[in-house]
Amino acid sequence: MQKTFAIDINPGENRTECPGTKITLGGSPTAGPDSPNNYTYQWYSIPGGFSSTESNPEITVPDVKTIYVVRVTDIDGFTCQESVTITPVLVKGIDFNPSYLPADGKSISQATVTSEPGGRTFVWSISEADGSDATIGESNGRIKASSKPATIKVKAQDKQAADNKTQTCFVEENICMGDPEECCPDLAGEVKFGLLRIHLTESIQSTGSDGDGYCSYSTNKVRLHLDMKGFFHTPVSIDLDGVKASWKQKGTGAEISFKEVSLEWSGTAPTRQFGPLQANLTGMKLTVTSDGAISGETKFTVNQVESVPLGGIAELAKGTSGGFVYKYTSSTSFEGSYDFSGVKNITIRLKKNTSIIAEASGDLKSNGVFDGELTVKNAATYSTKGFDATVKRLRWNFTWVLNENEVSFKDGEAEITIKNIRNTKGEVAVDFELRGHTANGVAKFSKLVAFGCNIEGSLAAKVDHEFNIHEISGSNIKAKHPDFDNSFEINEFNITNGELNQFRFNGHTKYKNVNFKISNAAYVQNKGIEITAGLEIGKSSKCEVRDFTISSEGVVSKIKLYFESTSYPLSIKANLSFVDSEFKGDYSGSIEGGIKIGGKVVIGSMETYNYGFFELTMQVAKGFQVGPVIKIDELGGRFGYNYDHRVNSASEGTYLIGFVLGIKDVADIIGLKGDVTLVIGNKSSLELEGEVRVPAKSPHYFKGTLKASYLLGTNDVSGSTNATLKVPARNGNMLSLSTGNMSFRLNQSGWNVKAMNISGQIMKEVTMTGSFDLRGAAGDDGGIAGTVAGTIDYSKDIKIIYPDKFDGTNCVTADHTDSKLGFGIYGQFSLKLGGSFNTQVNPEGFNGTIKTYVNGASRVSVKWPCIATCVDCVRFTNVNVNGDMEMSYDGSFTILKGYLKFSGADHEEESRPIVLKF
């Protein structure tokens, strides 16, 4: 089957029909040549308002000429459209010639009617005869008067509608027969006076007619709609009830004429908006000429019961009083003019959040214009863009026209302070230069502290005419911190959203007399100002300052310094901390050739100069021999500029070079280390103040400070020291003493040390006083011999359980855990030990024992043998203890071993061998 893309559309014939008539659109069928079911239909109208998907939809003929378009689509998606035009029949009003008849039963009046389109045939009838005998020609509209006075209603209907017996396409008008005064009709519904229309809320009768056929009417039952055009952008519409109206009219339909129209009203109508102004209509008096020209005025009383926005932060405050008038200008429309000269107490104000920051008051001009100057209102405070702001000063001229939604601002100026800026204390003053709806701002700093710095200078501020402060930024200001000797030049500064979030500077400054070269200092959120800086220490030195911060409170952190110096043959690196007014710390480095060094360093600054001091130590693994007995195993040195190490303080112009010398005997028995003073021209001796160690190698029996003299060429070192003695040397568990003043001597034959006023501890428990005499021979590798003697004094609370598992909780537990003889004791004794010792010292400790006498007392749990008490049970009682014991040490515990005698309150006694460990 061959498909076709042609569609035959029959939308129906163009028709002229009476409005309200039901008709069907489309042909029979509307589309072909295929079956009508193979098509889809879409009807729409021009003008719009109608749509249908039926092939033959039914419509009601509208009041205006309408084009109906049908779009048809076949099963292949091909679409075509056609249209049909439906024209309504419009029947105009009836004219009577003459307009009324005498009640003589013979006079004739010819009725005529017009229609669109023309050429229509009409059927005439009397629709309301009022009981009269008047007649009318059905086809010609000739009216014969009645024999009695009457008012009849004549009807003219389109013949087609009459034949179809549909109530459409007709018009009706009254004609008076008899005295015209008696023929004035009752009126109801709408009455037109040109453009002005009134609605009668109830039917009214005429108050009579004058000789020219005008009927007079008067009523206070009128509803009136008024428009007031001009000035305001949209007309103001008023609906009124209870209007008093009077007028004269004659004729009907298109022939009606009126005169002497008067409308009056007084009262209080609902509040309405006139632009931003609120008012009530309180009076009206109008007249309408026979040609429809409206004259008169309406009066309004201001009722400003609430504030009204005027755009942005401006508003019209409540409290405006007075009134205004609208006067109609004798035209056939609602045109007129307003007079606002009676509007008083206008207040325009600026409002931010809930704060009134400025206002201006006065009266409106007759043309609805208000000129004023805004001034500050009680230094109001408001919030803007994260800031707390206060208006200190304001002068701003403006013009406001009642029918505009915005105030027209002119030139002005203001000063606003902002405070509570995060990361700051104090406030910033911002000067506003106002130009209409634009603003320029300058921020002035004189009362702001940021990170402890007083900010000075001024910057551009990004502001707007609504007093919002969006941003303060720039670089031409200074910051002065009280701990720094000069101001910082700020090269990045930014305040937004209520926070100082950019704060950056660099340059040279002095902090606590130390000269810093700051390469970058910038705000880091939640940390404060982080400073990257260097310290100027000589041409070959490099210093980096670390952990240098200033908190939001302005507190400077404990600064650390990384120092690096390379000056042949010495290279050093140091990490230092800032203490008081100088850097102190440790360093490490090397000397050309691979020798590692380390030591202490001090770097600081006085008012006019910097200073530094470096102390080094160097370990030499084997040392080098300088004689048959003496060798040097350690060297040290000092270097300083503008520094006196003897008083540990800066001294301008003082330069220091010094050494540290370590001396041992060849056998490593004794070692001396100290500062060396080299006297040029006198090389016979070196005087040392430093340290003595015995033996020279670790661990040391004793180690202490010394004063010594080394006689060059004799290999003889002698002096005195205040040292600490440890036996064994590795931990001092046996003996740990302070020697007091101890003399020593080292020569080719050996060494010896003596001390008389010794104090210390034996076995970490016993306090002692005594003396020692120790000596060693050259060549004896670490050997030591001598005596240690003295007295002991010892007090201690000792826990005693005998036997080891004795349980004195009750008689049963005691019987199961006592000794064979039935004795058991459990408790804490306060023991006091006394005695003397005289021992021989050797490299591992000492030989001999320490005799001690023990006595003490306590309240304990005790079970006495039945032979003594005849009561086989446990008592809690006072018990004394005494006896002789020997003290020893096993490397972990102090041990007391011997016989102790226990004596009870009831003369019970028991002696037992006891071993105590603690």
Side-chain angles (χ1 to χ4, degrees):
M1 174 179 176
Q2 183 178 2
K3 293 184 178 179
T4 177
F5 292 97
I7 302 175
D8 297 329
I9 301 176
N10 180 13
E13 296 181 356
N14 296 333
R15 301 165 64 178
T16 300
E17 300 286 349
C18 288
T21 303
K22 301 288 187 180
I23 64 171
T24 300
L25 298 177
S28 179
T30 300
D34 295 337
S35 170
N37 295 331
N38 290 340
Y39 301 96
T40 58
Y41 305 88
Q42 181 62 56
W43 288 87
Y44 66 91
S45 64
I46 304 172
F50 170 79
S51 66
S52 176
T53 58
E54 298 179 7
S55 62
N56 297 97
E58 184 182 69
I59 66 166
T60 300
V61 177
D63 293 332
V64 296
K65 183 177 180 180
T66 302
I67 299 173
Y68 292 90
V69 180
V70 60
R71 176 173 291 180
V72 180
T73 304
D74 66 12
I75 58 177
D76 295 313
F78 187 77
T79 299
C80 292
Q81 69 179 34
E82 292 289 347
S83 64
V84 61
T85 301
I86 306 299
T87 303
V89 177
L90 301 179
V91 182
K92 302 284 182 77
I94 301 174
D95 290 331
F96 298 104
N97 185 21
S99 60
Y100 68 93
L101 294 172
D104 58 6
K106 60 180 181 179
S107 295
I108 299 297
S109 177
Q110 179 63 54
T112 59
V113 69
T114 59
S115 67
E116 291 181 3
R120 305 292 292 187
T121 302
F122 291 93
V123 176
W124 296 90
S125 63
I126 296 174
S127 60
E128 293 183 13
D130 195 22
S132 72
D133 55 354
T135 61
I136 188 170
E138 180 179 327
S139 61
N140 58 21
R142 289 175 61 86
I143 302 169
K144 180 182 179 182
S146 64
S147 57
K148 294 181 180 180
T151 299
I152 67 170
K153 182 175 290 186
V154 176
K155 178 178 180 180
Q157 185 176 26
D158 183 83
K159 187 177 185 304
Q160 181 180 344
D163 292 343
N164 293 333
K165 296 181 180 181
T166 58
Q167 291 300 313
T168 184
C169 283
F170 69 89
V171 66
E172 295 177 320
E173 293 289 350
N174 292 331
I175 184 170
C176 178
M177 298 179 183
D179 185 350
E181 286 193 22
E182 296 179 359
C183 288
C184 291
D186 293 345
L187 297 180
E190 187 177 78
V191 180
K192 302 178 181 179
F193 304 120
L195 184 64
L196 185 65
R197 300 183 181 189
I198 66 173
H199 183 80
L200 303 175
T201 57
E202 60 182 40
S203 178
I204 64 171
Q205 295 178 340
S206 172
T207 58
S209 174
D210 57 15
D212 59 1
Y214 280 90
C215 298
S216 297
Y217 294 91
S218 179
T219 181
N220 60 1
K221 305 295 185 181
V222 171
R223 182 181 301 128
L224 174 65
H225 174 83
L226 287 175
D227 285 337
M228 286 162 279
K229 297 182 178 180
F231 189 76
F232 293 104
H233 298 300
T234 57
V236 177
S237 296
I238 299 290
D239 292 301
L240 291 175
D241 281 325
V243 176
K244 181 179 179 181
S246 63
W247 71 96
K248 293 181 179 181
Q249 72 176 58
K250 70 174 180 179
T252 59
E255 293 297 317
I256 192 170
S257 60
F258 53 86
K259 65 180 180 177
E260 299 177 19
V261 179
S262 176
L263 301 166
E264 288 188 48
W265 181 88
S266 63
T268 302
T271 301
R272 299 185 62 82
Q273 290 290 136
F274 294 83
L277 202 64
Q278 298 168 323
N280 306 106
L281 177 68
T282 55
M284 179 206 68
K285 189 173 184 178
L286 300 180
T287 60
V288 183
T289 64
S290 59
D291 59 359
I294 302 171
S295 300
E297 65 182 24
T298 55
K299 294 183 178 180
F300 296 87
T301 300
V302 176
N303 181 29
Q304 201 72 18
V305 295
E306 60 184 21
S307 300
V308 178
L310 298 179
I313 63 174
E315 69 175 19
L316 173 66
K318 64 181 181 179
T320 304
S321 61
F324 58 92
V325 176
Y326 181 76
K327 297 180 180 180
Y328 289 95
T329 56
S330 299
S331 68
T332 56
S333 67
F334 289 109
E335 296 293 337
S337 62
Y338 285 92
D339 180 1
F340 296 102
S341 59
V343 179
K344 309 294 182 182
N345 301 318
I346 287 284
T347 298
I348 305 295
R349 63 192 186 189
L350 302 180
K351 191 174 183 180
K352 293 286 289 183
N353 310 127
T354 59
S355 299
I356 300 170
I357 63 175
E359 66 179 30
S361 298
D363 302 332
L364 272 180
K365 297 178 182 179
S366 60
N367 61 354
V369 175
F370 180 86
D371 292 311
E373 182 179 85
L374 289 159
T375 57
V376 67
K377 177 72 173 177
N378 298 327
T381 298
Y382 64 94
S383 296
T384 170
K385 304 296 182 181
F387 300 108
D388 291 335
T390 302
V391 182
K392 296 289 187 179
R393 176 175 52 84
L394 174 64
R395 180 195 59 78
W396 201 4
N397 294 317
F398 70 94
T399 295
W400 173 58
V401 182
L402 181 61
N403 64 343
E404 298 295 335
N405 292 328
E406 288 190 344
V407 173
S408 177
F409 293 110
K410 300 178 182 178
D411 294 343
E413 59 184 12
E415 180 184 355
I416 295 176
T417 59
I418 56 173
K419 56 185 178 180
N420 297 331
I421 305 168
R422 291 186 292 279
N423 298 322
T424 74
K425 295 179 181 178
E427 62 185 30
V428 178
V430 182
D431 284 346
F432 280 67
E433 182 183 0
L434 300 162
R435 293 285 185 271
H437 282 74
T438 63
N440 295 316
V442 176
K444 299 183 298 184
F445 302 99
S446 61
K447 299 179 180 179
L448 187 71
V449 176
F451 307 105
C453 301
N454 293 314
I455 310 300
E456 301 172 352
S458 60
L459 290 176
K462 185 178 180 181
V463 299
D464 60 38
H465 74 287
E466 292 188 351
F467 304 106
N468 295 310
I469 301 171
H470 300 276
E471 182 179 26
I472 299 173
S473 62
S475 59
N476 59 338
I477 58 174
K478 293 184 177 181
K480 178 65 173 69
H481 193 286
D483 291 340
F484 294 82
D485 71 333
N486 60 295
S487 298
F488 304 126
E489 293 286 346
I490 303 299
N491 45 43
E492 281 188 29
F493 185 90
N494 181 273
I495 295 175
T496 51
N497 297 321
E499 179 179 11
L500 174 58
N501 50 56
Q502 287 187 16
F503 190 84
R504 186 184 299 274
F505 58 87
N506 55 22
H508 292 77
T509 189
K510 185 177 288 187
Y511 171 66
K512 293 188 176 180
N513 294 325
V514 178
N515 289 309
F516 291 95
K517 181 181 180 181
I518 297 175
S519 58
N520 184 54
Y523 166 64
V524 177
Q525 191 173 23
N526 299 324
K527 292 185 179 180
I529 301 293
E530 288 193 351
I531 299 175
T532 302
L535 198 63
E536 296 181 352
I537 305 292
K539 294 182 179 179
S540 61
S541 300
K542 171 186 175 182
C543 285
E544 293 180 4
V545 178
R546 298 175 178 176
D547 296 338
F548 193 176
T549 62
I550 303 176
S551 72
S552 59
E553 300 299 322
V555 178
V556 180
S557 66
K558 292 184 177 180
I559 309 169
K560 293 183 179 179
L561 179 70
Y562 173 76
F563 173 81
E564 183 176 335
S565 178
T566 302
S567 183
Y568 183 84
L570 177 65
S571 297
I572 58 174
K573 295 180 181 180
N575 288 293
L576 313 177
S577 296
F578 193 77
V579 180
D580 296 329
S581 61
E582 61 188 12
F583 287 98
K584 296 181 179 180
D586 299 322
Y587 74 91
S588 61
S590 63
I591 298 176
E592 189 70 19
I595 301 175
K596 301 297 183 180
I597 62 171
K600 306 291 185 181
V601 63
V602 176
I603 296 175
S605 178
M606 298 301 289
E607 193 68 30
T608 58
Y609 63 91
N610 291 341
Y611 62 88
F613 173 70
F614 305 90
E615 184 178 71
L616 67 88
T617 59
M618 178 185 69
Q619 294 290 334
V620 182
K622 297 182 178 181
F624 53 92
Q625 194 164 331
V626 296
V629 176
I630 305 301
K631 67 178 179 179
I632 296 176
D633 71 333
E634 189 170 355
L635 286 175
R638 293 188 177 95
F639 168 72
Y641 59 95
N642 294 333
Y643 190 82
D644 188 343
H645 81 292
R646 293 169 297 184
V647 293
N648 292 321
S649 66
S651 176
E652 187 173 12
T654 300
Y655 296 88
L656 169 69
I657 297 177
F659 297 95
V660 174
L661 182 64
I663 300 175
K664 293 182 181 180
D665 69 303
V666 175
D668 287 334
I669 298 175
I670 188 169
L672 304 176
K673 174 186 174 183
D675 294 342
V676 178
T677 303
L678 178 61
V679 182
I680 298 175
N682 180 8
K683 299 183 179 180
S684 61
S685 66
L686 292 176
E687 300 295 328
L688 292 88
E689 291 189 12
E691 177 183 283
V692 63
R693 298 160 297 180
V694 178
K697 294 189 299 183
S698 178
H700 309 298
Y701 288 105
F702 62 86
K703 180 178 180 182
T705 60
L706 66 88
K707 287 186 178 182
S709 176
Y710 172 42
L711 301 179
L712 297 180
T714 65
N715 294 316
D716 195 343
V717 179
S718 62
S720 62
T721 183
N722 192 314
T724 299
L725 176 66
K726 294 181 179 180
V727 179
R730 60 182 177 274
N731 53 30
N733 284 338
M734 291 286 189
L735 194 62
S736 178
L737 303 177
S738 174
T739 65
N741 189 46
M742 180 181 69
S743 61
F744 65 90
R745 188 175 185 87
L746 170 67
N747 55 35
Q748 191 168 351
S749 300
W751 60 271
N752 71 281
V753 291
K754 292 182 180 181
M756 301 303 294
N757 299 313
I758 300 172
S759 62
Q761 289 185 324
I762 301 175
M763 292 172 284
K764 291 190 175 182
E765 295 286 345
V766 180
T767 301
M768 65 151 286
T769 60
S771 62
F772 67 78
D773 183 353
L774 300 175
R775 58 193 175 277
D780 186 4
D781 188 11
I784 187 171
T787 61
V788 177
T791 62
I792 62 172
D793 185 15
Y794 177 56
S795 296
K796 187 174 181 65
D797 290 336
I798 299 177
K799 187 173 184 179
I800 296 180
I801 304 175
Y802 182 84
D804 289 344
K805 296 182 180 180
F806 178 69
D807 183 355
T809 303
N810 52 53
C811 290
V812 174
T813 59
D815 285 344
H816 284 84
T817 57
D818 59 8
S819 66
K820 292 181 179 180
L821 296 178
F823 176 74
I825 188 165
Y826 186 102
Q828 194 86 9
F829 277 86
S830 295
L831 300 181
K832 185 171 181 62
L833 289 76
S836 62
F837 63 92
N838 192 322
T839 62
Q840 300 296 315
V841 176
N842 58 53
E844 293 302 318
F846 57 86
N847 294 323
T849 60
I850 302 174
K851 300 287 187 176
T852 183
Y853 179 79
V854 178
N855 64 77
S858 184
R859 190 168 178 82
V860 298
S861 296
V862 62
K863 179 176 183 296
W864 300 100
C866 185
I867 190 172
T869 63
C870 296
V871 178
D872 192 11
C873 198
V874 177
R875 284 188 296 157
F876 189 70
T877 183
N878 291 326
V879 173
N880 293 323
V881 59
N882 55 74
D884 293 327
M885 304 190 82
E886 289 187 0
M887 180 181 291
S888 61
Y889 186 75
D890 65 359
S892 298
F893 296 97
T894 298
I895 302 172
L896 286 175
K897 184 176 181 181
Y899 275 81
L900 293 182
K901 181 179 181 182
F902 300 91
S903 302
D906 296 329
H907 306 292
E908 303 96 335
E909 290 185 352
E910 183 72 15
S911 294
R912 293 283 117 192
I914 297 294
V915 177
L916 300 177
K917 289 186 178 182
F918 50 89

